[in-house]
Amino acid sequence: MDPITLLLFAVGLCFDSFAVSLSCGMVCYACSRRRLVRFAAVLGLCQGLMPLIGWSLAARFRTVIEAYDHWVAFVLLLFLGGRMIRESFGEEDDAARRLKGNPFALGRNVVLGVATSIDALVAGIAMALLPLAVVPSDSQLINMLAAAGVIAVVTLAASLVGLYLGRRSRGRLGEWAERIGGMILILIGLKVLVEHLMDA
């Protein structure tokens, strides 16, 4: 996974956090800038940590499924993308239900962060099956740490944008955000599969 693919990957993953931030921004009438930044930072931190957890778990079993790793990565990304698209057509998702109450309270903020980063945990498993070339280092651990950092920063930025747009608009942009994110993940999965088949 090269830096450009990683950036697209991070953008695809961050749309859940963007959609939640958009919804929270719509109910934030008098939030301080500090509280908004903390909210986005928690989402970014969770989104960065989850792929590391998934990667560390899957890296131990990589040699067992190495012959099929491209298919496993493709299926995982197809599943994630398809689920995001399917959930975008639902009336109310789990994250929206959790918005009842104050989403900016730290405890609820962490719950939202974990809820929106479950997909990133599965994505981390997929990343363990792919060669990472994010920074000029042969160490996959260093490359994965760099990748997690990129994912966290992209999510932080997307969450801040979502909060801003949510405060400015009262429309339903979240469902479209999830659909776009799902399509990006599916396209990356197809790219992984096609590149492997062409190399073979």
Side-chain angles (χ1 to χ4, degrees):
M1 182 178 287
D2 57 80
I4 294 176
T5 303
L6 171 63
L7 188 59
L8 290 173
F9 194 75
V11 169
L13 285 176
C14 80
F15 276 104
D16 271 353
S17 298
F18 173 80
V20 165
S21 298
L22 193 68
S23 300
C24 290
M26 291 177 188
V27 300
C28 179
Y29 303 109
C31 296
S32 66
R33 184 175 299 177
R34 179 180 177 183
R35 177 168 281 198
L36 293 174
V37 171
R38 187 193 71 182
F39 181 88
V42 169
L43 295 187
L45 182 62
C46 290
Q47 195 84 327
L49 287 176
M50 285 296 197
L52 280 175
I53 295 172
W55 180 86
S56 63
L57 292 173
R60 302 179 184 183
F61 304 102
R62 180 174 180 176
T63 54
V64 178
I65 59 173
E66 198 163 8
Y68 311 100
D69 56 2
H70 54 287
W71 284 104
V72 175
F74 168 70
V75 170
L76 286 173
L77 293 173
L78 186 67
F79 167 75
L80 288 177
R83 194 180 78 167
M84 286 178 69
I85 293 171
R86 178 176 53 82
E87 288 179 352
S88 73
F89 289 98
E91 291 183 5
E92 185 180 40
D93 60 15
D94 290 339
R97 283 191 285 272
R98 290 190 184 93
L99 291 178
K100 297 171 182 176
N102 178 16
F104 295 94
L106 183 57
R108 195 172 295 271
N109 191 176
V110 172
V111 169
L112 284 171
V114 172
T116 55
S117 59
I118 296 300
D119 288 351
L121 175 70
V122 181
I125 296 173
M127 293 174 78
L129 307 175
L130 305 172
L132 299 176
V134 181
V135 294
S137 172
D138 293 333
S139 170
Q140 288 298 287
L141 174 59
I142 292 175
N143 274 277
M144 187 59 206
L145 288 171
V150 170
I151 291 169
V153 170
V154 168
T155 301
L156 169 65
S159 299
L160 288 173
V161 170
L163 288 168
Y164 174 80
L165 293 177
R167 294 180 73 187
R168 289 286 180 257
S169 69
R170 298 289 185 255
R172 288 179 55 83
L173 300 175
E175 58 192 28
W176 285 104
E178 287 190 291
R179 288 171 199 170
I180 293 169
M183 287 186 283
I184 289 174
L185 292 181
I186 290 172
L187 288 173
I188 291 174
L190 285 170
K191 177 178 179 288
V192 169
L193 183 62
V194 169
E195 283 180 350
H196 181 87
L197 293 176
M198 288 180 68
D199 289 342

